[in-house]
Short mmCIF file of all heavy atoms in Angstrom, two decimals:
data_model
loop_
_atom_site.label_atom_id
_atom_site.label_comp_id
_atom_site.label_asym_id
_atom_site.label_seq_id
_atom_site.Cartn_x
_atom_site.Cartn_y
_atom_site.Cartn_z
N ARG A 281 36.67 6.37 -3.83
CA ARG A 281 37.05 5.74 -2.56
C ARG A 281 37.26 6.79 -1.46
O ARG A 281 37.78 6.49 -0.40
CB ARG A 281 38.31 4.90 -2.74
CG ARG A 281 38.12 3.69 -3.66
CD ARG A 281 39.24 2.70 -3.50
NE ARG A 281 39.15 1.57 -4.41
CZ ARG A 281 38.43 0.47 -4.18
NH1 ARG A 281 37.74 0.35 -3.07
NH2 ARG A 281 38.40 -0.52 -5.06
N THR A 341 30.09 -5.77 -3.69
CA THR A 341 31.52 -5.88 -4.02
C THR A 341 31.74 -7.21 -4.72
O THR A 341 31.12 -8.22 -4.36
CB THR A 341 32.47 -5.81 -2.80
OG1 THR A 341 33.77 -6.27 -3.21
CG2 THR A 341 32.04 -6.63 -1.62
N ILE A 342 32.63 -7.19 -5.69
CA ILE A 342 32.96 -8.46 -6.36
C ILE A 342 33.73 -9.36 -5.41
O ILE A 342 33.84 -10.55 -5.65
CB ILE A 342 33.79 -8.24 -7.65
CG1 ILE A 342 35.16 -7.63 -7.35
CG2 ILE A 342 33.02 -7.37 -8.64
CD1 ILE A 342 36.14 -7.77 -8.51
N ASP A 343 34.28 -8.80 -4.31
CA ASP A 343 35.09 -9.60 -3.39
C ASP A 343 34.25 -10.49 -2.48
O ASP A 343 34.76 -11.43 -1.89
CB ASP A 343 35.96 -8.68 -2.51
CG ASP A 343 37.01 -7.95 -3.31
OD1 ASP A 343 37.13 -8.22 -4.51
OD2 ASP A 343 37.69 -7.09 -2.72
N MET A 385 40.98 -10.88 -8.79
CA MET A 385 40.86 -9.86 -7.73
C MET A 385 40.44 -10.48 -6.39
O MET A 385 39.85 -11.55 -6.34
CB MET A 385 39.88 -8.77 -8.14
CG MET A 385 40.52 -7.69 -8.98
SD MET A 385 39.41 -6.31 -9.22
CE MET A 385 40.50 -5.12 -10.01
N GLY A 386 40.71 -9.74 -5.34
CA GLY A 386 40.40 -10.20 -3.98
C GLY A 386 41.61 -9.96 -3.10
O GLY A 386 42.44 -10.84 -2.94
N HIS A 387 41.75 -8.70 -2.60
CA HIS A 387 42.96 -8.39 -1.84
C HIS A 387 42.93 -8.95 -0.43
O HIS A 387 43.97 -9.15 0.17
CB HIS A 387 43.26 -6.89 -1.85
CG HIS A 387 42.14 -6.03 -1.37
ND1 HIS A 387 40.92 -5.98 -2.00
CD2 HIS A 387 42.04 -5.19 -0.33
CE1 HIS A 387 40.13 -5.14 -1.36
NE2 HIS A 387 40.79 -4.64 -0.34
N GLU A 438 44.53 -12.02 -5.58
CA GLU A 438 45.38 -10.85 -5.35
C GLU A 438 46.11 -10.91 -4.00
O GLU A 438 47.28 -10.56 -3.90
CB GLU A 438 44.45 -9.65 -5.35
CG GLU A 438 44.97 -8.38 -5.84
CD GLU A 438 43.85 -7.35 -5.77
OE1 GLU A 438 42.65 -7.74 -5.70
OE2 GLU A 438 44.17 -6.17 -5.78
N HIS A 484 40.40 -5.25 -13.98
CA HIS A 484 39.09 -4.59 -13.89
C HIS A 484 38.06 -5.13 -14.85
O HIS A 484 36.89 -4.76 -14.75
CB HIS A 484 39.27 -3.07 -14.05
CG HIS A 484 40.01 -2.46 -12.89
ND1 HIS A 484 41.37 -2.51 -12.78
CD2 HIS A 484 39.54 -1.87 -11.77
CE1 HIS A 484 41.74 -1.95 -11.65
NE2 HIS A 484 40.65 -1.55 -11.00
N ARG A 487 35.18 -6.35 -13.08
CA ARG A 487 34.21 -5.44 -12.45
C ARG A 487 33.28 -4.78 -13.47
O ARG A 487 32.37 -4.06 -13.09
CB ARG A 487 34.96 -4.34 -11.68
CG ARG A 487 35.77 -4.84 -10.53
CD ARG A 487 35.74 -3.91 -9.34
NE ARG A 487 36.01 -2.55 -9.64
CZ ARG A 487 37.00 -1.82 -9.13
NH1 ARG A 487 37.87 -2.39 -8.31
NH2 ARG A 487 37.13 -0.55 -9.40
O1 F6P B 15 37.21 -4.15 -3.62
C1 F6P B 15 37.01 -4.54 -4.93
C2 F6P B 15 38.31 -4.58 -5.66
O2 F6P B 15 38.02 -4.91 -6.99
C3 F6P B 15 39.38 -5.51 -5.10
O3 F6P B 15 39.21 -6.84 -5.46
C4 F6P B 15 40.65 -4.92 -5.64
O4 F6P B 15 41.71 -5.23 -4.81
C5 F6P B 15 40.34 -3.46 -5.60
O5 F6P B 15 38.94 -3.32 -5.68
C6 F6P B 15 40.97 -2.67 -6.73
O6 F6P B 15 40.69 -1.33 -6.52
P1 F6P B 15 40.92 -0.16 -7.57
O7 F6P B 15 39.90 -0.30 -8.64
O8 F6P B 15 40.70 1.07 -6.76
O9 F6P B 15 42.29 -0.33 -8.11
#
Side-chain angles (χ1 to χ4, degrees):
R281 294 196 183 275
T341 165
I342 65 164
D343 294 354
M385 275 189 172
H387 54 298
E438 212 178 341
H484 292 81
R487 296 217 311 239

